Amino acid sequence: MVDTYQLSTLERSPVTTISSPAHDTVRSPREVFTAISGLVVGMFVAVLSGTVVSTSMPVIIADLGGTQSQYTWVITASLLATAVSTPIWGKLADLVDRKILVQISLILFTAGTVIAGFSTDTNMLIAVRVIQGIGVGGLMSLVMIAVALIISPRERGKYMGVVGGIMALGTIGGPLLGGLLTDVWGWRSNFFVGVPFALLALVLLQFTLHLPKPQRDSRVSIDYFGIVLLAVGVSTLLIWVSMGGSQFEWDSSTSIMLAVIAGVAIAAFITVEFFVKEPIVPMSLFRNRTFTLSVIASIAIGVSMFATSVFLAQYFQLARGATPTESGLMTIPMIIGQMGASIIIGQLVSRFGKWKGWMLTGSVLTTIGVSLMSTLRYDTPFPLVAVYMFVLGAGLGMVMQNLTLIVQNDTAPQQLGAASSNVNFFRTIAGTIGVTVMGSLLSTSVAGYMTDSLKDFVPSTQDEIDALPHLASGDVPKVGQLPDTIRAIVEGAYGHGIADAFIIAIPLAVIAVIAIAFLKNKPLSTKNAAEQLREQAEESVLEVSEAEVGATMSTGAIRIAGTASASPSSPSAPSTGSVTTVLERDGRESRG
């Protein structure tokens, strides 16, 4: 029987030392904000790039001599690139250096933005918008992943609130800035305004962002086949939904061909993901109830979020006759509601660790908000419109970032990138499809309301006679240049039509309430993803060590994790790259 064991040596590997997470990752709020400052600036630039041109698109297309079809492609090209690249960036973040990925995505975005500002024709603008969209997809997914690596879920709420506020500012404030820049300096300034922020973000990222590299036990394997199938399937789906009913009829051969290609590619992608080593969208994630319900809620919330940014500008300009700058100013209540709720609720979630009540409240407010939006008319008093916008903005602010937070809180750190990016991926896809369907309904409703109102209308002036053919063409009218009698009809039609479009968002918002109600109320972890990975590595070392101690207890010496074997005949123990422990027996044994 063993009498005494002495711990003779305790060494640490000079290459991959595992330190205690208790002290080396504790940071003050100032240090955390410094570390994520480049990420926040990068996120702002990414969101701003998609919204700042929304109010100046008619001017851009007219100046470059583009068609209505090209107008659609300028918007769709960026959305396609962003949607398709988002899960790919997220999966790469689980495999390779995240800091380099953030910098690459920001460089791609900046290059695409600068070239877009020098566009000489619409086809060139469409091409560089694809490059810009790929960069935006990286920034949108990688920022959330980097924040999760630095900050624990319990503390992440207040920082994610700031990120959500920045997103709200870029989403709702972009049209205001774009309209102002177009009126003062021309449309090209819309593309150049984000470049200084992008360069600032690159500098901040280089000096302030320090992220752990992914721990890989084997060679990196990238699902190239899955990437191709995902790109083909999602791109074809969005093209079909975006252009169906306008560029081609829904029952045409073109429509059927696009639908079949999208369906086959997506089905093949799902099949491939079950068998590849490193899937872009791991199907195992859907076994996690939190992830699945969060995706459902994100789909519903995404439609409301995208619809608000698209249709509010149209409501104020076409139903109320505001200029681009004025319509931007009118959305300030929405900005205040979304930014305020995102930041304040984020602080409360971090302080008390409770998230479900706030998310339920936010989803209910979102449902109320879109319901109120469906009652809009061209002459609805602006104070009431402001209240509607504030309620909807507050609801979105409470829910959007917290959905990503709870998914990260309930996902293994090895799948953090894939889980985080896929929540954003489904939100973007759903938002794009939802807005397209709502836009189609808007066009049909406006045409119907105008036809009914003009049925008994008899023009009495030359201006009214000249205005009628333009309305019959189906082009978007310049409301400020219409005669007062026809202007009232047009504003009434658009006010009612935009309200009808929001009706589609109501049942989706109700689905979001139900999905959030069934989410598992899991407490927020106090450890960030980097600390969880480190603890898992330490636990693996201890398990290996205990197994080897038990297997070799009868020998005179036990060497663990990379030390020489006790005898020439026995193989050396496998290296774990962490703690090397030598337990030696002092040779004294007691009997009985």
Side-chain angles (χ1 to χ4, degrees):
M1 176 177 176
V2 178
D3 181 49
T4 307
Y5 283 94
Q6 295 178 335
L7 182 66
S8 61
T9 61
L10 179 61
E11 300 173 343
R12 292 190 180 272
S13 167
V15 178
T16 54
T17 301
I18 296 180
S19 59
S20 172
H23 303 290
D24 59 354
T25 56
V26 176
R27 308 185 188 188
S28 68
R30 181 178 179 180
E31 290 173 328
V32 172
F33 272 116
T34 300
I36 68 172
S37 56
L39 297 172
V40 171
V41 176
M43 172 68 82
F44 175 72
V45 173
V47 176
L48 187 66
S49 71
T51 59
V52 72
V53 298
S54 60
T55 51
S56 56
M57 278 301 299
V59 179
I60 295 173
I61 299 301
D63 189 51
L64 295 177
T67 64
Q68 180 62 40
S69 175
Q70 289 174 320
Y71 181 107
T72 304
W73 268 107
V74 170
I75 299 172
T76 305
S78 179
L79 288 174
L80 279 173
T82 299
V84 171
S85 64
T86 294
I88 297 172
W89 285 109
K91 185 58 186 180
L92 289 175
D94 290 333
L95 302 175
V96 298
D97 193 309
R98 291 108 174 186
K99 181 174 179 176
I100 291 177
L101 289 176
V102 175
Q103 292 171 320
I104 290 174
S105 63
L106 193 53
I107 290 171
L108 280 174
F109 163 78
T110 306
T113 300
V114 171
I115 298 172
F118 289 106
S119 296
T120 55
D121 58 56
T122 314
N123 290 329
M124 177 180 175
L125 179 60
I126 292 170
V128 295
R129 288 279 285 176
V130 172
I131 299 174
Q132 193 181 34
I134 293 173
V136 170
L139 290 171
M140 295 291 286
S141 59
L142 294 169
V143 166
M144 299 300 181
I145 297 166
V147 169
L149 287 164
I150 297 172
I151 309 164
S152 71
R154 177 63 183 268
E155 292 297 317
R156 202 176 302 156
K158 57 187 176 186
Y159 300 103
M160 295 280 273
V162 174
V163 173
I166 293 296
M167 289 183 65
L169 181 62
T171 301
I172 309 299
L176 166 61
L177 180 61
L180 181 62
L181 290 173
T182 302
D183 291 341
V184 177
W185 288 297
W187 63 265
R188 295 184 188 275
S189 61
N190 288 179
F191 294 102
F192 297 140
V193 68
V195 174
F197 293 101
L199 295 176
L200 173 62
L202 276 173
V203 173
L204 290 173
L205 287 170
Q206 181 61 35
F207 293 103
T208 65
L209 184 64
H210 305 286
L211 299 175
K213 292 180 173 59
Q215 297 180 356
R216 306 298 304 171
D217 297 328
S218 59
R219 183 182 175 186
V220 171
S221 175
I222 297 177
D223 179 17
Y224 295 106
F225 190 36
I227 290 174
V228 173
L229 289 173
L230 177 67
V232 172
V234 173
S235 299
T236 309
L237 174 64
L238 291 183
I239 291 171
W240 177 56
V241 174
S242 300
M243 297 187 174
S246 58
Q247 306 299 316
F248 49 81
E249 296 298 325
W250 287 111
D251 58 352
S252 65
S253 58
T254 301
S255 175
I256 294 172
M257 180 183 67
L258 289 173
V260 170
I261 292 174
V264 170
I266 292 173
F269 170 73
I270 293 172
T271 304
V272 166
E273 296 305 276
F274 280 106
F275 298 101
V276 295
K277 183 178 180 181
E278 294 288 353
I280 299 295
V281 182
M283 294 298 137
S284 59
L285 287 173
F286 289 96
R287 291 199 295 265
N288 184 327
R289 190 176 79 179
T290 298
F291 176 80
T292 303
L293 291 175
S294 295
V295 165
I296 294 172
S298 290
I299 289 172
I301 293 298
V303 173
S304 299
M305 181 183 71
F306 278 77
T308 301
S309 62
V310 171
F311 294 117
L312 273 184
Q314 286 189 323
Y315 172 74
F316 287 124
Q317 292 183 48
L318 299 177
R320 303 186 78 99
T323 66
T325 303
E326 290 170 345
S327 70
L329 290 171
M330 288 177 170
T331 60
I332 287 178
M334 185 83 186
I335 300 174
I336 294 174
Q338 195 166 346
M339 281 191 66
S342 182
I343 294 172
I344 293 172
I345 300 306
Q347 293 281 347
L348 293 175
V349 168
S350 290
R351 176 171 296 183
F352 300 107
K354 307 294 183 183
W355 56 266
K356 189 166 183 177
W358 295 117
M359 288 186 63
L360 269 175
T361 302
S363 60
V364 171
L365 286 177
T366 300
T367 306
I368 295 172
V370 294
S371 301
L372 292 173
M373 286 292 185
S374 69
T375 67
L376 289 176
R377 297 295 182 267
Y378 79 101
D379 57 351
T380 303
F382 181 73
L384 274 181
V385 180
V387 171
Y388 299 170
M389 288 190 293
F390 180 85
V391 170
L392 179 55
L396 292 174
M398 289 183 183
V399 176
M400 271 179 25
Q401 299 310 310
N402 284 327
L403 280 172
T404 305
L405 169 64
I406 61 173
V407 166
Q408 292 174 340
N409 182 61
D410 200 23
T411 301
Q414 292 87 351
Q415 291 187 317
L416 181 66
S420 303
S421 62
N422 276 291
V423 172
N424 292 328
F425 167 69
F426 286 107
R427 179 189 299 163
T428 302
I429 292 293
T432 304
I433 294 175
V435 168
T436 301
V437 173
M438 293 170 74
S440 177
L441 175 62
L442 171 61
S443 298
T444 303
S445 299
V446 167
Y449 290 131
M450 281 191 184
T451 300
D452 292 341
S453 299
L454 293 172
K455 188 188 315 181
D456 300 321
F457 178 78
V458 179
S460 57
T461 66
Q462 187 61 43
D463 288 342
E464 292 175 352
I465 294 173
D466 294 339
L468 289 177
H470 180 71
L471 293 180
S473 69
D475 292 340
V476 177
K478 296 181 179 180
V479 177
Q481 299 177 7
L482 295 174
D484 290 343
T485 51
I486 295 181
R487 175 175 176 170
I489 292 173
V490 172
E491 288 181 345
Y494 272 96
H496 207 158
I498 289 171
D500 289 349
F502 272 101
I503 293 176
I504 295 177
I506 297 175
L508 294 174
V510 172
I511 291 174
V513 175
I514 297 172
I516 291 172
F518 282 96
L519 281 170
K520 184 169 56 177
N521 195 7
K522 183 177 180 179
L524 297 178
S525 172
T526 57
K527 294 182 175 64
N528 62 39
E531 291 172 333
Q532 293 175 30
L533 287 169
R534 187 182 298 121
E535 284 189 353
Q536 289 179 7
E538 289 180 334
E539 289 173 1
S540 297
V541 169
L542 291 176
E543 289 174 0
V544 172
S545 301
E546 290 171 358
E548 293 186 1
V549 168
T552 57
M553 186 65 72
S554 61
T555 65
I558 303 169
R559 296 181 181 274
I560 300 172
T563 63
S565 60
S567 65
S569 61
S570 62
S572 60
S575 173
T576 61
S578 298
V579 182
T580 303
T581 307
V582 179
L583 295 176
E584 293 182 345
R585 185 163 46 187
D586 66 357
R588 295 192 301 270
E589 295 183 357
S590 61
R591 298 181 180 273

